[in-house]
Amino acid sequence: PTQQTGSGDNTKYIVSKLRPDSTHMDVLLCVATVPENIQLSQQVVDKVEKLREEKLSKEKQKTQSSKKTDVFDIDDGGWAEDEEEDEAVKKAKQEEAERQKAKEELKQATGTGVTPMEGIDEGVLGQHWVETTLSAKKHWPPKDLSFIQDQVYPYKGKNVKPMDHPAVRRNLCMTMGRLHSVILNTHSDLCKLY
């Protein structure tokens, strides 16, 4: 098997893989597996995994802190002045919540907010959804990996097949998603989101 190192001259790679009789699919597979594309995709995969771990950690901390209760909160609401104070506190809390909501909306609109993630946040469709949707229509995994079928790619100290390498798999998923965009773009799950 041919090993791709993730570095080197992309032009040499393309020239070594494509022939005058190469199919359109061969060209797409070649572009998906050019060393530079694999390297860039691996950076994205690593970043997403890091964000996922951070987000899960924050949610776990939030869950743990919400389970804690204030032992000294024994106000039984027996004083009339507490009711007036409660109204003022409620109003302040409501205003703070509105400010926070506006801040979050601004972060999302400017792209500086927390990125919603598939498998964590509700209503987020990503690579897993694309693979599952295309699988149901028999378009995933790709039936013919052509010349990349026998290639191996370095990943975490091992040489792995194309579908076992996260960055190559991501590139192939994106390629197949584009080829079958009508299936994805007209799927009922997208209608539920809007």
Side-chain angles (χ1 to χ4, degrees):
T2 308
Q3 179 179 0
Q4 298 305 312
T5 61
S7 63
D9 187 6
N10 292 324
T11 306
K12 285 182 186 176
Y13 175 81
I14 292 169
V15 169
S16 72
K17 301 301 176 192
L18 297 180
R19 304 280 179 259
D21 62 342
S22 294
T23 66
H24 291 88
M25 192 63 183
D26 290 339
V27 173
L28 293 173
L29 291 171
C30 189
V31 171
T33 58
V34 165
E36 185 177 6
N37 282 347
I38 294 172
Q39 182 182 13
L40 292 172
S41 284
Q42 189 60 52
Q43 290 171 357
V44 170
V45 168
D46 292 343
K47 182 179 178 181
V48 166
E49 190 55 37
K50 182 180 176 191
L51 289 171
R52 178 180 302 283
E53 288 171 7
E54 289 173 3
K55 190 166 191 165
L56 289 172
S57 174
K58 285 179 184 177
E59 286 186 8
K60 184 177 180 183
Q61 288 173 351
K62 190 186 286 186
T63 303
Q64 289 173 345
S65 68
S66 70
K67 288 180 180 178
K68 294 178 183 175
T69 57
D70 188 356
V71 196
F72 297 105
D73 188 14
I74 38 181
D75 183 17
D76 60 1
W79 298 94
E81 61 198 41
D82 285 346
E83 290 177 21
E84 292 172 10
E85 219 173 284
D86 286 343
E87 291 300 318
V89 170
K90 284 180 185 175
K91 186 176 180 182
K93 284 182 180 179
Q94 183 179 10
E95 288 173 356
E96 179 61 27
E98 289 172 5
R99 277 194 293 276
Q100 282 298 107
K101 183 179 178 185
K103 215 186 254 189
E104 289 302 315
E105 288 173 355
L106 179 63
K107 282 182 181 179
Q108 290 295 332
T110 59
T112 58
V114 177
T115 305
M117 303 190 86
E118 181 182 38
I120 297 176
D121 298 304
E122 192 174 325
V124 179
L125 306 178
Q127 181 175 339
H128 178 72
W129 178 83
V130 171
E131 290 179 7
T132 303
T133 303
L134 292 178
S135 272
K137 299 289 185 179
K138 308 278 190 262
H139 294 298
W140 184 262
K143 290 173 183 66
D144 179 17
L145 290 177
S146 185
F147 64 89
I148 69 167
Q149 182 70 41
D150 295 326
Q151 289 185 178
V152 292
Y153 302 85
Y155 180 67
K156 293 187 176 183
K158 297 179 181 176
N159 289 327
V160 298
K161 293 295 213 172
M163 295 298 286
D164 297 326
H165 191 288
V168 175
R169 185 180 184 108
R170 177 179 185 272
N171 288 351
L172 293 174
C173 178
M174 291 170 59
T175 300
M176 297 307 288
R178 287 184 184 106
L179 288 173
H180 302 288
S181 60
V182 172
I183 293 169
L184 300 175
N185 293 338
T186 58
H187 196 279
S188 62
D189 286 351
L190 290 177
C191 297
K192 293 176 193 173
L193 295 176
Y194 298 103

